[in-house]
Amino acid sequence: MSAKPGTLWHPCTQMKDHEDFPVIRVARGQGIYLFDEGGKRYLDAVSSWWVNLFGHANPRIASAIARQAQILEQVILAGFSHAPAEELAERLTALAPAGLEHVFYADNGSSAVEVALKMAHGFFRNQGRAGKFRFTYLDNGYHGETLGALAVCGEDLYSEQFGAIMPQGNLRVAGPDCFRCPLGLAREGCDAPCFQAMGETLERHANEIAAVIVEPLLQCAGGFRIYPPAYLRRLRQATREAGVLLILDEIATGFGRTGTLFACEQAGISPDLMCVSKGVTGGFLPLSAVLATDEIYAAFYADWAERKAFLHSHSYTGNPLACAAALETLAIFRDEDVIARNRPKAALLAELVRERFGGHPNVGEVRSLGFVTAVELVADRATKAPLPAANRTGLHISRAGFKRGLLWRNLGDILYFMPPYVITEEEIDRLTRDARAALGEVLPEGEAR
Ligand code: PMP
């Protein structure tokens, strides 16, 4: 039975779009495939919003959750604890960049960002510096859609309607824009002179800024923009010098997406606070965590009367089922040498997309980092002018992909490939072939617009 149209209100969707293009009802999943109720198979090219790592209905993770469900499904995490939450905290701190020794759980990416922002301000407030309440963020950065997180998003699409109710006072800074670099530089080997804007903001407002928040190396929802590690190294140094905390949002980039377990490893830096979510449970259950340094933890550790405790909670904080899924996910990373085994597959994905899409007159750039490859469509390759947004070209291409059995989702006029890591080389071949056919259907070559 299906619900009356509109009873289920879908996220990030103009519901009217579905008058002429019904939503696809998924009945089951297996490996990289999802099957609709008519039995049609879709290859999950976007890992179901970037969460799935080892396939749908992965037997190891499914069994771990089932085992845990028969032992302990949920318990309040204030005043009580449980083995999966503690073991996971130990595992995460062991795997994380140096210096991150404490784990605070929440249950989705946006909530983790809220936690990190509150911790950053609380760190200073607890030391008598309540004037450090502003956050600095980058153009095209994305950190979630709850109000606090939205107030550090540099992508107006998500925030423009909510200006009136958003926290004010944060500082937005022009960030790296390597595809349309205003300095005319190339991404590879770049020393990131564009850091200057951030450097100046930090110097000018050091007394008011609690933290800078960025997505390391890859801004996902803001357009799959890849920037060089040098930017992060400069940021780490400049935040230290300014006495400002650095929050890395590894929610999308973490757990192998960019080719290393965490993207910041590629820059050789450690943040003060790190947010993780999405892939942490292999894409099975909602869970997020904020990892913090000793110094930050210590700033909240005091006699109750000092009112320094970090007062933040969610009902499902550290849910045992989600923690069990995460422990099994991390066990798969260890047992199957995932990071090393992903390398040739990620390289093949990048190569085939480049080969098949690169020559199309409307493809401005094909860019890759680890297991993510994105194609930016333009009206004109020479000027890099975007396609008219009203045409919704990307949407039509992803719909053409649905017909060919791809579960695909454009980001404006950016097409991207972010499949589960268990995809095979043959499946990468098929994915890129079908995707290219979908592009050709909507933008036939020789008819560049
Ligand atoms: N930060 C980043 C970098 C993200 O990509 C996302 C989700 N796309 C979030 C935060 C928010 O996570 P959630 O959707 O789980 O709230």
Side-chain angles (χ1 to χ4, degrees):
M1 198 198 91
S2 357
K4 192 154 65 46
T7 305
L8 172 55
W9 192 345
H10 291 271
C12 205
T13 298
Q14 173 45 266
M15 292 298 287
K16 192 165 189 292
D17 281 354
H18 288 303
E19 281 181 8
D20 58 358
F21 201 98
V23 292
I24 298 167
R25 283 183 33 136
V26 174
R28 67 185 183 90
Q30 191 180 18
I32 64 163
Y33 296 106
L34 292 154
F35 298 83
D36 72 14
E37 291 183 338
K40 180 172 170 175
R41 191 175 84 161
Y42 297 85
L43 191 162
D44 189 352
V46 300
S47 294
S48 289
W49 253 344
W50 323 342
V51 300
N52 192 287
L53 304 186
F54 303 126
H56 293 279
N58 177 288
R60 278 187 66 171
I61 303 173
S63 307
I65 295 170
R67 274 195 308 275
Q68 183 60 42
Q70 292 177 1
I71 304 170
L72 175 69
E73 81 301 334
Q74 166 66 3
V75 62
I76 176 176
L77 203 69
F80 297 85
S81 179
H82 55 84
E86 293 195 8
E87 275 169 42
L88 182 60
E90 296 270 353
R91 294 283 296 137
L92 286 173
T93 52
L95 293 167
L100 297 171
E101 305 291 347
H102 306 272
V103 175
F104 190 98
Y105 292 114
D107 47 23
N108 61 72
S110 306
S111 303
V113 168
E114 301 283 341
V115 166
L117 299 176
K118 286 170 84 174
M119 264 184 192
H121 171 63
F123 170 77
F124 290 110
R125 195 205 73 96
N126 284 352
Q127 298 174 80
R129 301 189 64 195
K132 278 168 83 77
F133 65 92
R134 303 176 87 172
F135 298 98
T136 302
Y137 61 99
L138 291 178
D139 272 348
N140 304 305
Y142 176 94
H143 303 287
E145 291 171 52
T146 52
L147 290 173
L150 209 50
V152 290
C153 277
E155 168 50 88
D156 296 333
L157 176 69
Y158 307 103
S159 54
E160 63 194 0
Q161 299 171 15
F162 304 110
I165 55 168
M166 259 166 29
Q168 305 296 323
N170 294 334
L171 298 161
R172 177 166 167 170
V173 171
D177 183 4
C178 299
F179 176 48
R180 295 185 176 87
C181 178
L183 304 173
L185 302 171
R187 182 185 293 117
E188 279 65 39
C190 182
D191 192 35
C194 61
F195 182 77
Q196 199 186 342
M198 175 66 83
E200 285 170 8
T201 302
L202 285 172
E203 262 176 43
R204 195 166 322 128
H205 298 282
N207 289 333
E208 300 160 6
I209 302 174
V212 177
I213 180 165
V214 299
E215 294 159 272
L217 299 188
L218 173 66
Q219 295 181 305
C220 286
F224 283 93
R225 296 159 194 267
I226 298 169
Y227 63 89
Y231 192 94
L232 283 181
R233 284 194 286 270
R234 286 177 172 236
L235 180 59
R236 180 63 284 190
Q237 194 184 337
T239 45
R240 279 222 174 90
E241 285 167 8
V244 163
L245 298 178
L246 175 60
I247 304 172
L248 290 185
D249 176 347
E250 291 259 11
I251 289 164
T253 52
F255 302 101
R257 265 299 156 199
T258 67
T260 42
L261 192 62
F262 298 107
C264 63
E265 293 169 25
Q266 294 175 48
I269 63 152
S270 287
D272 301 294
L273 291 159
M274 184 168 94
C275 304
V276 298
S277 186
K278 290 196 186 275
V280 67
T281 62
F284 271 65
L285 286 168
L287 178 73
S288 62
V290 176
L291 281 73
T293 59
D294 267 341
E295 200 189 355
I296 291 177
Y297 179 78
F300 293 86
Y301 196 88
D303 288 333
W304 173 253
E306 289 186 47
R307 307 190 84 78
K308 288 186 174 176
F310 186 60
L311 295 187
H312 183 106
S313 56
H314 298 286
S315 314
Y316 283 98
T317 294
N319 171 258
L321 303 178
C323 291
L327 283 167
E328 198 63 24
T329 298
L330 296 179
I332 296 175
F333 269 100
R334 182 195 57 214
D335 299 345
E336 301 184 12
D337 199 10
V338 172
I339 298 291
R341 279 161 124 192
N342 276 357
R343 256 176 235 134
K345 287 200 245 180
L348 180 69
L349 176 66
E351 183 192 317
L352 290 183
V353 176
R354 205 166 295 275
E355 191 181 301
R356 291 179 178 156
F357 286 71
H360 189 285
N362 290 110
V363 170
E365 187 179 48
V366 175
R367 44 185 182 257
S368 302
L369 185 66
F371 235 97
V372 184
T373 288
V375 175
E376 179 151 351
L377 300 175
V378 292
D380 180 336
R381 282 164 80 117
T383 63
K384 301 182 180 175
L387 287 160
N391 292 1
R392 305 183 80 188
T393 311
L395 176 75
H396 294 298
I397 297 169
S398 46
R399 285 180 174 179
F402 298 166
K403 280 196 292 185
R404 292 175 166 76
L406 297 184
L407 190 154
W408 209 16
R409 195 179 158 88
N410 59 300
L411 196 77
D413 289 330
I414 293 165
L415 311 172
Y416 65 92
F417 301 88
M418 208 165 170
Y421 304 156
V422 290
I423 192 168
T424 65
E425 299 197 341
E426 293 72 41
E427 288 162 338
I428 291 172
D429 181 50
R430 224 208 76 210
L431 162 62
T432 52
R433 219 178 265 285
D434 289 348
R436 180 60 180 80
L439 169 68
E441 182 184 319
V442 177
L443 292 177
E445 284 200 57
E447 288 181 35
R449 49 218 73 193

